[in-house]
Amino acid sequence: MKKADVFEFYRRLAEANPHPETELESGNPYQLLVAVVLSAQATDAGVNKATRALFAAVTTPEQMVALGLDALKQHIRTIGLFNTKAKNVIALSQALIADHGSQVPDDRAGLERLPGVGRKTANVVLNVAFGAETFAVDTHIFRVGNRTGLARGKTPLAVELKLDKATPQPFRPHAHHWLILHGRYVCKARRPECWRCIVADLCAYKPKTPPPKAAPTPP
Ligand code: SF4
C-alpha cells in the first residue's frame, strides 16, 4: 500500500472511532496481564465473563497466590485451556512477587520471561498499560494486514514488523486497536463485509464481498 493510502486508511479508522480501547476488562496492569494471558484462543467476551468475579476479589499477585490454583481454576473453568492458563497465572504471580516487587514490568524482556507470556501478550500489555507503540498481531490483525496489503507476511512476527515500519504518527499508539476492531467487526474471517467497509477503496482484497441479498418482501 502506498504511504499516502496507509495514512488515509488509518485516518478513516481513527475518525470513525477516535478513542479505541481494548475490550478486555481490567482495573490495573496486573489484572490486564492476567486477562491477556487468559485470552489466548478465547474471546474477550468469554474472558470478561470469567474475570468479573475473579477481579472483584483479586487485584494483586499476592491475592492470586493466596487464592490458590484450585479456586482460580473454578473461576476460569469456562475458558479454553484453563488448566494450563491457571498454572501460568499462579506461576507468573509468584514471579512478579519474587522478581519485580509485585509490579508488572514495563519492558519486553521482563514480560516475556514470565510464565505464559509470549510476544503478543507482551505487546498488548506494553501498549495498553504503558502506552508503548507496539503492534500485538492476533488473528484479526494478521488477516487485515494480509488482505488489505497494509502489512503482508507469513507469520505474526513478519506482519508485526511490517506494521511497525508502515504505520505513521499520529496513529501508532492506537493502531493495533483499530486493526483488531476492524477485523473483528467488519473484515471478518469467513466473510469480510466489504460493502460497508470505510477503507474498501484503499484495500487490495479482491473480489470485494457484495452485500447480502435482501429477503424477498412478502406479497
Ligand atoms: S474491503 Fe473487505 S477485505 Fe478489504 S478491509 Fe474492507 S472488509 Fe476487509
Side-chain angles (χ1 to χ4, degrees):
M1 202 182 282
K2 286 186 217 148
K3 268 189 182 177
D5 288 350
V6 173
F7 193 94
E8 179 61 13
F9 183 99
Y10 281 118
R11 193 198 64 74
R12 289 186 205 170
L13 295 183
E15 188 178 63
N17 184 4
H19 305 291
E21 287 182 357
T22 177
E23 295 188 336
L24 278 177
E25 295 170 6
S26 65
N28 62 29
Y30 171 66
Q31 290 185 338
L32 173 71
L33 173 61
V34 172
V36 181
V37 167
L38 296 179
S39 72
Q41 295 175 50
T43 65
D44 288 359
V47 172
N48 291 340
K49 218 169 154 190
T51 54
R52 271 178 209 134
L54 175 67
F55 288 169
V58 174
T59 60
T60 66
E62 285 84 355
Q63 289 168 346
M64 190 69 83
V65 173
L67 179 73
L69 185 62
D70 290 341
L72 174 57
K73 280 185 188 174
Q74 280 305 308
H75 273 286
I76 64 168
R77 65 187 185 283
T78 52
I79 303 176
L81 310 174
F82 74 94
N83 275 314
T84 306
K85 289 176 181 176
K87 280 183 201 149
N88 282 333
V89 168
I90 295 292
L92 77 81
S93 301
Q94 289 167 332
L96 289 177
I97 295 167
D99 304 330
H100 298 281
S102 300
Q103 301 299 308
V104 175
D106 62 1
D107 64 290
R108 176 184 302 287
L111 283 165
E112 288 189 9
R113 272 199 297 273
L114 296 170
V117 178
R119 187 176 179 93
K120 189 180 72 137
T121 298
N123 278 335
V124 176
V125 173
L126 289 169
N127 178 265
V128 176
F130 301 113
E133 294 170 357
T134 50
F135 302 84
V137 176
D138 68 351
T139 178
H140 300 298
I141 297 192
F142 186 76
R143 185 173 68 250
V144 171
N146 273 293
R147 273 185 185 160
T148 57
L150 177 66
R152 289 205 169 105
K154 289 203 165 93
T155 64
L157 181 60
V159 171
E160 178 190 327
L161 297 178
K162 284 201 178 158
L163 282 174
D164 191 22
K165 208 168 161 200
T167 304
Q169 297 291 17
F171 308 113
R172 293 177 62 84
H174 290 312
H176 108 260
H177 283 129
W178 284 313
L179 296 172
I180 285 178
L181 295 172
H182 190 64
R184 189 175 288 163
Y185 296 112
V186 181
C187 194
K188 297 176 184 175
R190 283 201 198 149
R191 193 166 191 268
E193 299 183 358
C194 306
W195 70 90
R196 64 178 196 91
C197 174
I198 59 174
V199 290
D201 58 313
L202 306 169
C203 164
Y205 182 76
K206 280 183 191 152
K208 298 286 196 276
T209 314
K213 288 194 183 115
T217 39

